[in-house]
Amino acid sequence: CKAEFEKGWFEELINDKKNKVGGNKLRSYRTYKSHFCQEDYLLNCKNEIDRKNISRLRLSSHRLNIETGRYGINRLEPEDRVCHICNTCEDEKHFVINCTSYNAERKILFDVIGKVHEDFHLLDDVSKFICIMSSNNTNIVNELGKYITRCMKIRNNTILN
């Protein structure tokens, strides 16, 4: 029964035919999640707000344009769900790795990661994103939670002003 459930779970994870506009909602999640299990960040991230924000980002349960553009009468193609600052697709990878609005906060996160993974700075952006989002290192997980919480506040203040 468990094996059947896991097989069905994985098939849903990779199924892009579910949503006519933009494919699978979990398109980002499946880049760093390949097996059904409890993630260590749920135990390692001690701050409840930060832990919730990691979960929201991982599960695409957030207010980034990649998600908000999926809804309403005028649904947008993923490439048209752009960042208000960078004018490029505002997806989870952009939020964590690329958006210039969060450069100062990202430096703090990357410095923590660099202490654990010396060659992190040599990785391409997709590999950096996977490394961060799949990390089981307590220091990285806690710093990621802080990063997401701070950056969401910055984003919300920027959009509202």
Side-chain angles (χ1 to χ4, degrees), residues 109-146:
L109 174 63
F110 282 14
D111 286 348
V112 170
I113 297 167
K115 291 176 184 173
V116 177
H117 304 289
E118 292 179 8
D119 294 334
F120 178 78
H121 67 283
L122 299 175
L123 299 175
D124 62 81
D125 287 350
V126 172
S127 298
K128 285 179 181 175
F129 181 66
I130 292 168
C131 176
I132 293 168
M133 298 305 290
S134 62
S135 180
N136 292 325
N137 179 279
T138 301
N139 293 334
I140 293 173
V141 166
N142 282 297
E143 195 56 49
L144 174 62
K146 291 176 192 174

mmCIF file of all heavy atoms in Angstrom, residues 109-146:
data_model
loop_
_atom_site.group_PDB
_atom_site.id
_atom_site.type_symbol
_atom_site.label_atom_id
_atom_site.label_comp_id
_atom_site.label_asym_id
_atom_site.label_seq_id
_atom_site.Cartn_x
_atom_site.Cartn_y
_atom_site.Cartn_z
ATOM 1 N N LEU A 109 23.008 34.816 3.550
ATOM 2 C CA LEU A 109 22.670 33.410 3.313
ATOM 3 C C LEU A 109 23.822 32.695 2.621
ATOM 4 O O LEU A 109 24.246 31.615 3.050
ATOM 5 C CB LEU A 109 21.393 33.303 2.471
ATOM 6 C CG LEU A 109 20.990 31.903 2.007
ATOM 7 C CD1 LEU A 109 20.669 31.000 3.201
ATOM 8 C CD2 LEU A 109 19.793 31.992 1.049
ATOM 9 N N PHE A 110 24.351 33.277 1.563
ATOM 10 C CA PHE A 110 25.427 32.630 0.799
ATOM 11 C C PHE A 110 26.708 32.492 1.628
ATOM 12 O O PHE A 110 27.458 31.537 1.447
ATOM 13 C CB PHE A 110 25.696 33.394 -0.489
ATOM 14 C CG PHE A 110 24.687 33.136 -1.586
ATOM 15 C CD1 PHE A 110 23.472 32.511 -1.343
ATOM 16 C CD2 PHE A 110 24.956 33.529 -2.880
ATOM 17 C CE1 PHE A 110 22.552 32.281 -2.362
ATOM 18 C CE2 PHE A 110 24.049 33.304 -3.910
ATOM 19 C CZ PHE A 110 22.842 32.666 -3.642
ATOM 20 N N ASP A 111 26.964 33.448 2.527
ATOM 21 C CA ASP A 111 28.138 33.330 3.404
ATOM 22 C C ASP A 111 28.007 32.117 4.320
ATOM 23 O O ASP A 111 28.982 31.387 4.532
ATOM 24 C CB ASP A 111 28.332 34.596 4.233
ATOM 25 C CG ASP A 111 28.881 35.769 3.428
ATOM 26 O OD1 ASP A 111 29.332 35.553 2.275
ATOM 27 O OD2 ASP A 111 28.842 36.910 3.943
ATOM 28 N N VAL A 112 26.812 31.882 4.855
ATOM 29 C CA VAL A 112 26.576 30.709 5.704
ATOM 30 C C VAL A 112 26.757 29.431 4.883
ATOM 31 O O VAL A 112 27.417 28.484 5.320
ATOM 32 C CB VAL A 112 25.173 30.758 6.344
ATOM 33 C CG1 VAL A 112 24.812 29.439 7.018
ATOM 34 C CG2 VAL A 112 25.088 31.908 7.345
ATOM 35 N N ILE A 113 26.217 29.415 3.684
ATOM 36 C CA ILE A 113 26.333 28.234 2.823
ATOM 37 C C ILE A 113 27.793 27.988 2.446
ATOM 38 O O ILE A 113 28.257 26.847 2.436
ATOM 39 C CB ILE A 113 25.461 28.387 1.553
ATOM 40 C CG1 ILE A 113 23.992 28.472 1.940
ATOM 41 C CG2 ILE A 113 25.702 27.231 0.588
ATOM 42 C CD1 ILE A 113 23.091 28.927 0.820
ATOM 43 N N GLY A 114 28.524 29.060 2.154
ATOM 44 C CA GLY A 114 29.927 28.946 1.776
ATOM 45 C C GLY A 114 30.799 28.316 2.850
ATOM 46 O O GLY A 114 31.814 27.682 2.547
ATOM 47 N N LYS A 115 30.408 28.454 4.101
ATOM 48 C CA LYS A 115 31.152 27.828 5.197
ATOM 49 C C LYS A 115 30.956 26.317 5.221
ATOM 50 O O LYS A 115 31.806 25.594 5.714
ATOM 51 C CB LYS A 115 30.729 28.436 6.533
ATOM 52 C CG LYS A 115 31.179 29.868 6.700
ATOM 53 C CD LYS A 115 30.660 30.462 7.989
ATOM 54 C CE LYS A 115 31.053 31.942 8.057
ATOM 55 N NZ LYS A 115 30.443 32.598 9.208
ATOM 56 N N VAL A 116 29.829 25.866 4.676
ATOM 57 C CA VAL A 116 29.517 24.433 4.634
ATOM 58 C C VAL A 116 29.959 23.824 3.308
ATOM 59 O O VAL A 116 30.508 22.727 3.265
ATOM 60 C CB VAL A 116 28.003 24.197 4.855
ATOM 61 C CG1 VAL A 116 27.646 22.727 4.739
ATOM 62 C CG2 VAL A 116 27.568 24.763 6.209
ATOM 63 N N HIS A 117 29.698 24.532 2.219
ATOM 64 C CA HIS A 117 30.024 24.073 0.862
ATOM 65 C C HIS A 117 30.998 25.073 0.235
ATOM 66 O O HIS A 117 30.573 26.088 -0.317
ATOM 67 C CB HIS A 117 28.761 23.966 0.000
ATOM 68 C CG HIS A 117 27.700 23.082 0.562
ATOM 69 N ND1 HIS A 117 27.831 21.716 0.616
ATOM 70 C CD2 HIS A 117 26.498 23.371 1.103
ATOM 71 C CE1 HIS A 117 26.752 21.188 1.160
ATOM 72 N NE2 HIS A 117 25.922 22.178 1.471
ATOM 73 N N GLU A 118 32.286 24.791 0.321
ATOM 74 C CA GLU A 118 33.312 25.732 -0.138
ATOM 75 C C GLU A 118 33.180 26.101 -1.606
ATOM 76 O O GLU A 118 33.527 27.210 -2.002
ATOM 77 C CB GLU A 118 34.700 25.157 0.133
ATOM 78 C CG GLU A 118 35.036 25.052 1.603
ATOM 79 C CD GLU A 118 36.409 24.443 1.837
ATOM 80 O OE1 GLU A 118 37.173 24.246 0.867
ATOM 81 O OE2 GLU A 118 36.708 24.165 3.006
ATOM 82 N N ASP A 119 32.702 25.195 -2.438
ATOM 83 C CA ASP A 119 32.598 25.444 -3.879
ATOM 84 C C ASP A 119 31.214 25.949 -4.295
ATOM 85 O O ASP A 119 30.916 26.008 -5.489
ATOM 86 C CB ASP A 119 32.929 24.164 -4.655
ATOM 87 C CG ASP A 119 34.384 23.750 -4.483
ATOM 88 O OD1 ASP A 119 35.219 24.630 -4.209
ATOM 89 O OD2 ASP A 119 34.683 22.552 -4.621
ATOM 90 N N PHE A 120 30.394 26.335 -3.346
ATOM 91 C CA PHE A 120 29.032 26.789 -3.650
ATOM 92 C C PHE A 120 29.028 27.906 -4.686
ATOM 93 O O PHE A 120 28.209 27.900 -5.602
ATOM 94 C CB PHE A 120 28.336 27.253 -2.360
ATOM 95 C CG PHE A 120 26.962 27.788 -2.583
ATOM 96 C CD1 PHE A 120 25.891 26.929 -2.795
ATOM 97 C CD2 PHE A 120 26.727 29.161 -2.593
ATOM 98 C CE1 PHE A 120 24.616 27.421 -3.010
ATOM 99 C CE2 PHE A 120 25.452 29.662 -2.804
ATOM 100 C CZ PHE A 120 24.395 28.791 -3.013
ATOM 101 N N HIS A 121 29.941 28.857 -4.560
ATOM 102 C CA HIS A 121 29.986 30.006 -5.471
ATOM 103 C C HIS A 121 30.271 29.611 -6.921
ATOM 104 O O HIS A 121 30.009 30.379 -7.838
ATOM 105 C CB HIS A 121 31.003 31.040 -4.984
ATOM 106 C CG HIS A 121 32.417 30.553 -5.049
ATOM 107 N ND1 HIS A 121 32.955 29.680 -4.123
ATOM 108 C CD2 HIS A 121 33.408 30.818 -5.940
ATOM 109 C CE1 HIS A 121 34.213 29.423 -4.442
ATOM 110 N NE2 HIS A 121 34.518 30.093 -5.536
ATOM 111 N N LEU A 122 30.781 28.402 -7.133
ATOM 112 C CA LEU A 122 31.093 27.930 -8.483
ATOM 113 C C LEU A 122 29.886 27.302 -9.188
ATOM 114 O O LEU A 122 29.928 27.081 -10.398
ATOM 115 C CB LEU A 122 32.230 26.907 -8.435
ATOM 116 C CG LEU A 122 33.559 27.401 -7.867
ATOM 117 C CD1 LEU A 122 34.554 26.247 -7.755
ATOM 118 C CD2 LEU A 122 34.120 28.529 -8.721
ATOM 119 N N LEU A 123 28.834 27.019 -8.435
ATOM 120 C CA LEU A 123 27.660 26.353 -9.009
ATOM 121 C C LEU A 123 26.859 27.299 -9.897
ATOM 122 O O LEU A 123 26.843 28.518 -9.668
ATOM 123 C CB LEU A 123 26.746 25.837 -7.894
ATOM 124 C CG LEU A 123 27.323 24.798 -6.937
ATOM 125 C CD1 LEU A 123 26.318 24.497 -5.817
ATOM 126 C CD2 LEU A 123 27.698 23.531 -7.679
ATOM 127 N N ASP A 124 26.163 26.742 -10.887
ATOM 128 C CA ASP A 124 25.230 27.541 -11.675
ATOM 129 C C ASP A 124 24.001 27.818 -10.805
ATOM 130 O O ASP A 124 23.819 27.222 -9.741
ATOM 131 C CB ASP A 124 24.846 26.813 -12.966
ATOM 132 C CG ASP A 124 24.135 25.516 -12.704
ATOM 133 O OD1 ASP A 124 22.915 25.543 -12.439
ATOM 134 O OD2 ASP A 124 24.800 24.455 -12.739
ATOM 135 N N ASP A 125 23.142 28.717 -11.238
ATOM 136 C CA ASP A 125 22.006 29.146 -10.426
ATOM 137 C C ASP A 125 21.044 28.012 -10.066
ATOM 138 O O ASP A 125 20.557 27.948 -8.941
ATOM 139 C CB ASP A 125 21.233 30.264 -11.131
ATOM 140 C CG ASP A 125 21.992 31.588 -11.116
ATOM 141 O OD1 ASP A 125 23.023 31.688 -10.402
ATOM 142 O OD2 ASP A 125 21.558 32.519 -11.812
ATOM 143 N N VAL A 126 20.758 27.131 -11.015
ATOM 144 C CA VAL A 126 19.849 26.014 -10.734
ATOM 145 C C VAL A 126 20.449 25.101 -9.671
ATOM 146 O O VAL A 126 19.765 24.690 -8.722
ATOM 147 C CB VAL A 126 19.506 25.223 -12.021
ATOM 148 C CG1 VAL A 126 18.721 23.959 -11.699
ATOM 149 C CG2 VAL A 126 18.718 26.101 -12.983
ATOM 150 N N SER A 127 21.724 24.801 -9.784
ATOM 151 C CA SER A 127 22.398 23.948 -8.799
ATOM 152 C C SER A 127 22.451 24.615 -7.428
ATOM 153 O O SER A 127 22.299 23.947 -6.402
ATOM 154 C CB SER A 127 23.801 23.587 -9.268
ATOM 155 O OG SER A 127 23.742 22.851 -10.468
ATOM 156 N N LYS A 128 22.659 25.930 -7.399
ATOM 157 C CA LYS A 128 22.622 26.655 -6.124
ATOM 158 C C LYS A 128 21.235 26.533 -5.478
ATOM 159 O O LYS A 128 21.126 26.277 -4.280
ATOM 160 C CB LYS A 128 22.959 28.137 -6.330
ATOM 161 C CG LYS A 128 24.402 28.418 -6.566
ATOM 162 C CD LYS A 128 24.631 29.909 -6.788
ATOM 163 C CE LYS A 128 26.102 30.183 -7.062
ATOM 164 N NZ LYS A 128 26.346 31.592 -7.400
ATOM 165 N N PHE A 129 20.213 26.718 -6.286
ATOM 166 C CA PHE A 129 18.841 26.635 -5.783
ATOM 167 C C PHE A 129 18.561 25.249 -5.210
ATOM 168 O O PHE A 129 18.028 25.115 -4.105
ATOM 169 C CB PHE A 129 17.860 26.975 -6.906
ATOM 170 C CG PHE A 129 16.414 26.951 -6.494
ATOM 171 C CD1 PHE A 129 15.936 27.886 -5.586
ATOM 172 C CD2 PHE A 129 15.545 26.026 -7.010
ATOM 173 C CE1 PHE A 129 14.598 27.875 -5.205
ATOM 174 C CE2 PHE A 129 14.219 25.995 -6.637
ATOM 175 C CZ PHE A 129 13.743 26.934 -5.728
ATOM 176 N N ILE A 130 18.939 24.218 -5.928
ATOM 177 C CA ILE A 130 18.726 22.841 -5.463
ATOM 178 C C ILE A 130 19.519 22.596 -4.180
ATOM 179 O O ILE A 130 18.997 22.007 -3.225
ATOM 180 C CB ILE A 130 19.094 21.831 -6.562
ATOM 181 C CG1 ILE A 130 18.105 21.941 -7.728
ATOM 182 C CG2 ILE A 130 19.126 20.407 -6.013
ATOM 183 C CD1 ILE A 130 18.521 21.200 -8.977
ATOM 184 N N CYS A 131 20.750 23.051 -4.141
ATOM 185 C CA CYS A 131 21.597 22.887 -2.953
ATOM 186 C C CYS A 131 20.934 23.530 -1.731
ATOM 187 O O CYS A 131 20.874 22.924 -0.655
ATOM 188 C CB CYS A 131 22.968 23.507 -3.214
ATOM 189 S SG CYS A 131 24.089 23.473 -1.796
ATOM 190 N N ILE A 132 20.436 24.730 -1.891
ATOM 191 C CA ILE A 132 19.809 25.454 -0.780
ATOM 192 C C ILE A 132 18.513 24.778 -0.343
ATOM 193 O O ILE A 132 18.300 24.527 0.846
ATOM 194 C CB ILE A 132 19.529 26.918 -1.180
ATOM 195 C CG1 ILE A 132 20.843 27.669 -1.376
ATOM 196 C CG2 ILE A 132 18.647 27.616 -0.146
ATOM 197 C CD1 ILE A 132 20.690 29.029 -2.035
ATOM 198 N N MET A 133 17.661 24.495 -1.310
ATOM 199 C CA MET A 133 16.320 23.991 -0.983
ATOM 200 C C MET A 133 16.326 22.547 -0.497
ATOM 201 O O MET A 133 15.372 22.108 0.140
ATOM 202 C CB MET A 133 15.390 24.145 -2.185
ATOM 203 C CG MET A 133 15.195 25.586 -2.619
ATOM 204 S SD MET A 133 14.605 26.696 -1.319
ATOM 205 C CE MET A 133 12.932 26.089 -1.132
ATOM 206 N N SER A 134 17.379 21.800 -0.769
ATOM 207 C CA SER A 134 17.443 20.407 -0.331
ATOM 208 C C SER A 134 18.405 20.215 0.842
ATOM 209 O O SER A 134 18.634 19.088 1.273
ATOM 210 C CB SER A 134 17.840 19.497 -1.494
ATOM 211 O OG SER A 134 19.128 19.838 -1.967
ATOM 212 N N SER A 135 18.933 21.305 1.375
ATOM 213 C CA SER A 135 19.923 21.194 2.444
ATOM 214 C C SER A 135 19.310 20.640 3.729
ATOM 215 O O SER A 135 18.185 20.983 4.102
ATOM 216 C CB SER A 135 20.537 22.563 2.736
ATOM 217 O OG SER A 135 21.486 22.437 3.778
ATOM 218 N N ASN A 136 20.074 19.786 4.382
ATOM 219 C CA ASN A 136 19.702 19.273 5.702
ATOM 220 C C ASN A 136 20.563 19.893 6.794
ATOM 221 O O ASN A 136 20.394 19.569 7.965
ATOM 222 C CB ASN A 136 19.862 17.750 5.745
ATOM 223 C CG ASN A 136 18.861 17.057 4.854
ATOM 224 O OD1 ASN A 136 17.727 17.506 4.704
ATOM 225 N ND2 ASN A 136 19.273 15.966 4.243
ATOM 226 N N ASN A 137 21.469 20.785 6.411
ATOM 227 C CA ASN A 137 22.359 21.424 7.372
ATOM 228 C C ASN A 137 21.565 22.427 8.218
ATOM 229 O O ASN A 137 20.905 23.318 7.678
ATOM 230 C CB ASN A 137 23.503 22.121 6.633
ATOM 231 C CG ASN A 137 24.441 22.813 7.575
ATOM 232 O OD1 ASN A 137 24.167 23.923 8.040
ATOM 233 N ND2 ASN A 137 25.551 22.158 7.861
ATOM 234 N N THR A 138 21.643 22.287 9.522
ATOM 235 C CA THR A 138 20.862 23.133 10.436
ATOM 236 C C THR A 138 21.159 24.613 10.237
ATOM 237 O O THR A 138 20.232 25.437 10.216
ATOM 238 C CB THR A 138 21.127 22.722 11.900
ATOM 239 O OG1 THR A 138 20.755 21.349 12.056
ATOM 240 C CG2 THR A 138 20.311 23.553 12.868
ATOM 241 N N ASN A 139 22.427 24.981 10.081
ATOM 242 C CA ASN A 139 22.775 26.401 9.898
ATOM 243 C C ASN A 139 22.194 26.957 8.605
ATOM 244 O O ASN A 139 21.669 28.072 8.581
ATOM 245 C CB ASN A 139 24.295 26.587 9.921
ATOM 246 C CG ASN A 139 24.887 26.298 11.282
ATOM 247 O OD1 ASN A 139 24.215 26.423 12.304
ATOM 248 N ND2 ASN A 139 26.145 25.892 11.312
ATOM 249 N N ILE A 140 22.284 26.185 7.534
ATOM 250 C CA ILE A 140 21.748 26.641 6.250
ATOM 251 C C ILE A 140 20.229 26.749 6.323
ATOM 252 O O ILE A 140 19.648 27.744 5.881
ATOM 253 C CB ILE A 140 22.184 25.697 5.111
ATOM 254 C CG1 ILE A 140 23.698 25.794 4.898
ATOM 255 C CG2 ILE A 140 21.436 26.024 3.814
ATOM 256 C CD1 ILE A 140 24.264 24.792 3.909
ATOM 257 N N VAL A 141 19.588 25.752 6.881
ATOM 258 C CA VAL A 141 18.126 25.745 6.978
ATOM 259 C C VAL A 141 17.635 26.944 7.796
ATOM 260 O O VAL A 141 16.698 27.642 7.395
ATOM 261 C CB VAL A 141 17.624 24.418 7.583
ATOM 262 C CG1 VAL A 141 16.178 24.505 8.000
ATOM 263 C CG2 VAL A 141 17.839 23.273 6.604
ATOM 264 N N ASN A 142 18.265 27.198 8.936
ATOM 265 C CA ASN A 142 17.845 28.329 9.771
ATOM 266 C C ASN A 142 18.088 29.657 9.076
ATOM 267 O O ASN A 142 17.255 30.565 9.146
ATOM 268 C CB ASN A 142 18.531 28.272 11.139
ATOM 269 C CG ASN A 142 17.867 27.264 12.047
ATOM 270 O OD1 ASN A 142 16.707 27.401 12.407
ATOM 271 N ND2 ASN A 142 18.589 26.230 12.413
ATOM 272 N N GLU A 143 19.210 29.779 8.361
ATOM 273 C CA GLU A 143 19.487 31.026 7.640
ATOM 274 C C GLU A 143 18.538 31.193 6.455
ATOM 275 O O GLU A 143 18.109 32.307 6.150
ATOM 276 C CB GLU A 143 20.938 31.092 7.184
ATOM 277 C CG GLU A 143 21.377 32.476 6.770
ATOM 278 C CD GLU A 143 21.172 33.525 7.851
ATOM 279 O OE1 GLU A 143 21.567 33.317 9.000
ATOM 280 O OE2 GLU A 143 20.578 34.596 7.520
ATOM 281 N N LEU A 144 18.198 30.084 5.798
ATOM 282 C CA LEU A 144 17.213 30.152 4.708
ATOM 283 C C LEU A 144 15.881 30.663 5.230
ATOM 284 O O LEU A 144 15.247 31.515 4.601
ATOM 285 C CB LEU A 144 17.041 28.781 4.048
ATOM 286 C CG LEU A 144 15.933 28.693 2.995
ATOM 287 C CD1 LEU A 144 16.212 29.629 1.820
ATOM 288 C CD2 LEU A 144 15.770 27.253 2.524
ATOM 289 N N GLY A 145 15.448 30.151 6.371
ATOM 290 C CA GLY A 145 14.194 30.618 6.956
ATOM 291 C C GLY A 145 14.221 32.106 7.249
ATOM 292 O O GLY A 145 13.263 32.834 6.937
ATOM 293 N N LYS A 146 15.314 32.582 7.807
ATOM 294 C CA LYS A 146 15.463 34.018 8.091
ATOM 295 C C LYS A 146 15.443 34.818 6.791
ATOM 296 O O LYS A 146 14.826 35.881 6.701
ATOM 297 C CB LYS A 146 16.766 34.285 8.843
ATOM 298 C CG LYS A 146 16.796 33.748 10.252
ATOM 299 C CD LYS A 146 18.181 33.978 10.855
ATOM 300 C CE LYS A 146 18.357 33.213 12.142
ATOM 301 N NZ LYS A 146 19.735 33.320 12.655
#
